[in-house]
Amino acid sequence: MKRILLLHTGGTISMSTDQRTGAVKPSDEHPLHKYSHLFEENIEIVEEDIFQLPSPHVTLQHMLDIQKRLAEAIEEDRIDGAVITHGTDTLEETAYFLDLTLDAPFPIVLTGAMRPTDEIGSDGVSNLQNAIWTALAPGSSDKGVLVVMNEEIHTARYVTKTHTTNVATFRTPTFGPIGIVSKHEVRFFQKLVFDENYPIQNITKKVYLLKAYADMDSTLFEALASTEIDGLVIEALGAGNMPPATLPGIKRLLDKKVAIVITSRAFNGIAQDIYAYKGGGKHLKELGAIFAPGLTGIKARIKLQVLLEQNLTSDEINKIFQK
């Protein structure tokens, strides 16, 4: 009999609708508990409520708590797979944090819901069932941390939430999903070229995220330079370019040895140092900025946070981001 560790952390998948006001709010008891019998015919499910939080309340420390519980399961060597239910707003960040910080011998799958369990067309039970099937599938163990939503299987590294309410919100821009779940059958047709893991015990660094816009100046950068800051991710314009008025503030941060990572605010494609004009990608790279091809701003922030906790040099961080 296979054994699945099912960790609940909250989110819409654990919420219900107030019939009087229509507001969606946390339930007194996790509504998925009553469905656990649907998955117990051939497997044993070890079910735990780690915490019950809307995902905007989830912090890096909460992500570390989940990581430590999974690390315990790895040490115990009694689990064949792990499934984590999570709110969708920050699910991709928790998934990528776990992907970077754990080297698990069993599949780890995150899932959630866009509709509470008592709403017509609720997707929570179906997503949970598909996540459990994926965690049990023989081909899942070498794919990194996975996100299963709406019958699609995505990698934690590249998946992102693309719609505020649609059940098909989770997508992988540029690359697409790596598999599907269809009528109990789990099918993979892609895999990551490489994986990476960086052990982490504490969250100590301050890493921020800014999004570039037309006519942006140095105000926000100067304000950050006056705080305790270890790293900054910028969702730059196009392939990785910034308005020239931002350069004084960017230079001041770099002079303070703050690691600055450049991604693109564009939905598809990768950030690259292509343009040589003032504020262009080549200029930013010459100043000491690091490019993160293929990662969104929020994923690059998670990765920079994890790497800074390793006390790596800027050159070492740059080489890792180029993999």
Side-chain angles (χ1 to χ4, degrees), residues 110-142:
L110 279 83
T111 193
M114 296 301 294
R115 298 170 182 167
T117 56
D118 60 348
E119 186 174 311
I120 293 175
S122 173
D123 54 332
V125 176
S126 175
N127 284 340
L128 177 60
Q129 189 174 53
N130 288 335
I132 289 174
W133 286 339
T134 302
L136 292 168
S140 298
S141 59
D142 62 346

Side-chain angles (χ1 to χ4, degrees), residues 52-242:
Q52 289 297 317
L53 293 173
S55 60
H57 295 193
V58 173
T59 66
L60 286 166
Q61 186 58 53
H62 290 120
M63 297 179 197
L64 187 59
D65 291 341
I66 300 171
Q67 185 250 35
K68 288 181 177 179
R69 177 62 188 95
L70 291 169
E72 289 176 6
I74 293 171
E75 287 295 320
E76 291 166 0
D77 195 25
R78 297 170 56 232
I79 297 297
D80 298 292
V83 172
I84 302 155
T85 64
H86 196 289
T88 59
D89 285 353
T90 60
L91 184 151
E92 62 197 273
E93 287 161 273
T94 297
Y96 190 48
F97 180 89
L98 298 175
D99 189 60
L100 286 172
T101 61
L102 281 171
D103 185 12
F106 51 74
I108 297 174
V109 182
L110 279 83
T111 193
M114 296 301 294
R115 298 170 182 167
T117 56
D118 60 348
E119 186 174 311
I120 293 175
S122 173
D123 54 332
V125 176
S126 175
N127 284 340
L128 177 60
Q129 189 174 53
N130 288 335
I132 289 174
W133 286 339
T134 302
L136 292 168
S140 298
S141 59
D142 62 346
K143 304 294 192 302
V145 173
L146 301 172
V147 173
V148 173
M149 295 282 291
N150 201 42
E151 300 182 353
E152 292 185 340
I153 307 170
H154 298 264
T155 65
R157 186 182 303 169
Y158 297 123
V159 71
T160 190
K161 186 175 182 178
T162 65
H163 195 286
T164 56
T165 57
N166 197 301
V167 294
T169 179
F170 279 88
R171 301 291 189 186
T172 299
T174 305
F175 309 113
I178 65 167
I180 59 172
V181 185
S182 179
K183 303 298 182 183
H184 200 301
E185 187 174 3
V186 176
R187 287 180 173 269
F188 288 101
F189 41 84
Q190 291 190 67
K191 66 179 294 185
L192 289 175
V193 176
F194 71 95
D195 58 9
E196 51 187 338
N197 298 106
Y198 309 97
I200 186 172
Q201 299 298 323
N202 298 290
I203 302 294
T204 63
K205 307 297 184 180
K206 294 289 186 181
V207 181
Y208 296 92
L209 171 64
L210 290 178
K211 188 169 189 170
Y213 51 86
D215 201 32
M216 190 179 196
D217 62 19
S218 277
T219 303
L220 296 175
F221 300 99
E222 296 285 355
L224 285 175
S226 65
T227 68
E228 293 184 11
I229 177 175
D230 300 290
L232 172 65
V233 174
I234 304 172
E235 287 190 359
L237 307 173
N241 313 302
M242 293 297 290

Side-chain angles (χ1 to χ4, degrees), residues 256-272:
K256 288 186 62 176
K257 306 302 181 184
V258 174
I260 295 182
V261 171
I262 303 294
T263 68
S264 174
R265 72 176 194 178
F267 185 73
N268 272 301
I270 63 174
Q272 295 175 283

